[in-house]
Amino acid sequence: MKQRDQWGTRLGFILAAVGSAIGMGNIWRFPYMVYENGGGAFLIPYFVAVFTAGIPLLILEFGVGQRHAGATPVTFRSLNKRWGWIGWWQLLVCFVIASYYVVIIAWSFSYFTLSFNLGWGEDTSAFFFKEYLHLSDGPFSMGGIQWQILAPLAMVWLTCWGVLICGVKKGIETANKFFMPALFVMVILIMARAVTMPGAVDGLSWLFKPDFSALGNIKVWAAAFGQVFFSLSIGFGIMITYSSYLSGESDINNNAFMTAFINCGFSMLAGIMIFSVLGYMAAQKGVPIQDVVSSGVGLAFVTIPQAINFMPGASFIGVLFFLSLLFAGVSSMISICEACIAGILEGFKISRKAATTLFCGLGFVVSLVYATGAGLYVLDIVDHFINTYAVLLGGLIEVVLLSWFFDLESIREHVNRTSDFLVGQWWSFCLKFFTTFVVAYMMVMKCVGDITTPYEGYPSSALGAYGWAVVAVLPVLAIVLSKCDLLGRKE
């Protein structure tokens, strides 16, 4: 029997885990979350969430992944033979996320090439939505494949295929040893330039000025936990898969703390970088900072390009910014793909080359939907429903099953056995009560919100087709796959 892949070094695993956690959302979502939810005061619930949910969940996933040495279907089936379908569910969630996340990376690739001559022009909004995306009138008006998106989309898939086909040590580890240091260097370079420009201090003041009254709002606390949950790639199989390649002597607790802290540190750097740039743009335009603040794709592909236009050395800054987005996106994309590929090659006993080619080929075909004129609409709806009802629900089921219906104490003993420092009962308490309650609360509140107010005003038919239907079909497919995979049929 062929020996299972393992990480070559501890540093390689840490950089890969950090590469998964640090994605484009750290750059375009975290700064806005801080700004919108109490400024500097938001850091209090944020770090509470890191210590009571983020790190405990990382330790849990690192522990069970290393202990059972398999992708999520194998891991959950090892815990309980009736739980295998949960692992397949998480892999299907990863597949859906990969199918649209790759398109945003493709946009970043396009903007990286545009940065050399500031090809987005003066009206960055019109360029992005009309000239680049050719955004249609609605989510059902596809408008055909946009060829300027298709080419970078194919290149990103080919890059991921090339890395993943080389395996864990030669492919994923080697790639992240390049991507992560380069990403930090680029962000620090942009930040160092941005903080010296006129208006940067005003931008940082808006970002970090504390509004302690926000701490009395439970929605602010839910936002903090949501940011930590999604930022650390927990709850949908990635960290379980990555930790399954660890040796039996690996320091689980230390690895979890390091991954969480490096991710937090990068988020803070990104926040300083973004709001320094926004502060400078506001000063140049003579408008309040709140008039230029935005989040998500609008920040990355409309606001930031507009800000870059005002900056000295604009082309160089643009190249660095979009290359950093590209590196952050690809490193996360690789981890999402690997979670699925590991499940396929273990469940159906095929080679890594076959599993990688099958996954990337199918993923490329599905991702073409997001390269149409309606792609942004479809992406927005699918992303919202997947993150709200698939990722959160999958994470909640995982925490409840492992905390309440499995011997959690045995996992704590396992992670403590090889770690430099031990985790105590606080870890079990956080998982059983604190994390379970918060994740359940977030999901219920989001569900109530979607029922009472249609998401972003989309027609109910679009929300049903691209949202509810996609979420509903995943557990059904997961059960089918759990009955078909070879390991499950042997039991």
Side-chain angles (χ1 to χ4, degrees):
M1 182 178 178
K2 184 180 177 181
Q3 186 178 2
R4 197 166 190 273
D5 281 347
Q6 283 194 345
W7 301 105
T9 62
R10 179 181 182 181
L11 176 64
F13 168 71
I14 292 294
L15 290 177
V18 168
S20 175
I22 293 176
M24 292 181 287
N26 293 68
I27 298 174
W28 72 39
R29 189 170 186 266
F30 175 79
Y32 186 78
M33 293 287 289
V34 176
Y35 166 79
E36 193 179 45
N37 291 280
F42 178 76
L43 298 179
I44 295 175
Y46 177 74
F47 281 107
V48 168
V50 168
F51 281 100
T52 60
I55 291 175
L57 275 169
L58 275 178
I59 293 173
L60 176 66
E61 295 202 344
F62 283 0
V64 296
Q66 181 209 40
R67 184 180 184 180
H68 297 282
T72 50
V74 171
T75 297
F76 278 99
R77 192 183 300 111
S78 299
L79 295 169
N80 187 309
K81 64 180 182 180
R82 293 175 295 180
W83 294 355
W85 70 274
I86 299 172
W88 282 110
W89 182 19
Q90 291 188 340
L91 297 198
L92 288 169
V93 170
C94 283
F95 174 77
V96 175
I97 293 174
S99 71
Y100 65 79
Y101 194 72
V102 68
V103 178
I104 306 175
I105 303 173
W107 299 345
S108 301
F109 185 87
S110 294
Y111 269 66
F112 164 69
T113 61
L114 290 167
S115 298
F116 288 93
N117 63 352
L118 306 182
W120 47 71
E122 295 295 324
D123 190 345
T124 55
S125 178
F127 176 83
F128 179 61
F129 293 110
K130 295 180 180 179
E131 294 183 43
Y132 182 68
L133 294 183
H134 289 282
L135 195 62
S136 66
D137 296 332
F140 290 117
S141 179
M142 290 300 174
I145 297 291
Q146 303 304 311
W147 300 103
Q148 70 278 7
I149 300 175
L150 180 63
L153 179 65
M155 291 191 68
V156 175
W157 273 117
L158 187 62
T159 300
C160 291
W161 178 85
V163 171
L164 291 161
I165 205 170
C166 294
V168 173
K169 183 179 178 180
K170 293 182 178 179
I172 301 172
E173 182 172 342
T174 300
N176 279 287
K177 282 183 175 179
F178 169 72
F179 285 140
M180 287 303 99
L183 176 60
F184 271 85
V185 168
M186 288 188 292
V187 169
I188 290 172
L189 284 175
I190 300 172
M191 182 189 71
R193 180 68 185 98
V195 295
T196 64
M197 295 189 299
V201 173
D202 294 331
L204 295 178
S205 176
W206 272 97
L207 174 62
F208 291 117
K209 182 180 179 180
D211 175 13
F212 291 106
S213 65
L215 299 181
N217 187 346
I218 194 170
K219 291 184 178 179
V220 171
W221 289 82
F225 276 85
Q227 174 63 25
V228 169
F229 193 88
F230 294 120
S231 177
L232 289 176
S233 297
I234 44 184
F236 51 108
I238 294 173
M239 292 307 186
I240 290 177
T241 301
Y242 266 14
S243 59
S244 72
Y245 301 124
L246 286 169
S247 67
E249 297 76 36
S250 298
D251 188 331
I252 297 298
N253 299 338
N254 237 330
N255 289 346
F257 273 84
M258 289 176 65
T259 301
F261 288 155
I262 294 173
N263 176 72
C264 293
F266 181 85
S267 295
M268 297 298 293
L269 290 176
I272 295 171
M273 174 187 71
I274 292 295
F275 268 80
S276 295
V277 171
L278 293 180
Y280 172 74
M281 182 171 75
Q284 294 301 302
K285 297 179 72 172
V287 299
I289 186 72
Q290 57 266 39
D291 287 357
V292 299
V293 174
S294 60
S295 181
V297 295
L299 171 68
F301 300 106
V302 176
T303 306
I304 292 298
Q306 187 179 31
I308 289 172
N309 286 342
F310 287 99
M311 297 176 71
S315 179
F316 178 68
I317 297 296
V319 167
L320 286 183
F321 177 77
F322 286 105
L323 193 58
S324 67
L325 268 189
L326 191 59
F327 282 10
V330 170
S331 62
S332 293
M333 179 68 182
I334 288 170
S335 70
I336 297 169
C337 294
E338 176 60 22
C340 299
I341 291 166
I344 294 171
L345 66 88
E346 290 175 4
F348 296 98
K349 296 299 181 183
I350 60 177
S351 68
R352 171 169 283 273
K353 182 178 181 180
T356 304
T357 303
L358 173 64
F359 175 83
C360 291
L362 183 59
F364 173 71
V365 172
V366 174
S367 66
L368 293 178
V369 173
Y370 306 101
T372 64
L376 181 59
Y377 300 125
V378 181
L379 188 155
D380 189 28
I381 296 171
V382 173
D383 177 62
H384 172 75
F385 277 82
I386 284 292
N387 280 297
T388 300
Y389 303 106
V391 174
L392 275 184
L393 182 57
L396 178 62
I397 291 174
E398 175 185 305
V399 173
V400 170
L401 289 179
L402 295 181
S403 300
W404 290 97
F405 298 95
F406 185 74
D407 185 6
L408 190 61
E409 186 63 22
S410 69
I411 301 177
R412 187 168 73 90
E413 291 174 358
H414 170 76
V415 300
N416 283 340
R417 192 174 300 123
T418 58
S419 298
D420 289 339
F421 64 89
L422 311 182
V423 292
Q425 292 297 330
W426 67 270
W427 177 76
S428 302
F429 176 83
C430 286
L431 289 173
K432 278 190 171 183
F433 301 101
F434 210 79
T435 305
T436 300
F437 169 77
V438 171
V439 176
Y441 172 81
M442 287 192 297
M443 197 183 69
V444 170
M445 291 305 295
K446 286 179 177 291
C447 184
V448 170
D450 281 336
I451 292 173
T452 56
T453 306
Y455 175 65
E456 294 294 329
Y458 286 112
S460 56
S461 56
L463 296 177
Y466 301 130
W468 296 113
V470 172
V471 170
V473 78
L474 294 184
V476 177
L477 288 177
I479 293 172
V480 172
L481 285 171
S482 69
K483 301 295 184 183
C484 293
D485 80 70
L486 298 179
L487 292 178
R489 287 194 289 180
K490 285 182 179 179
E491 296 177 349

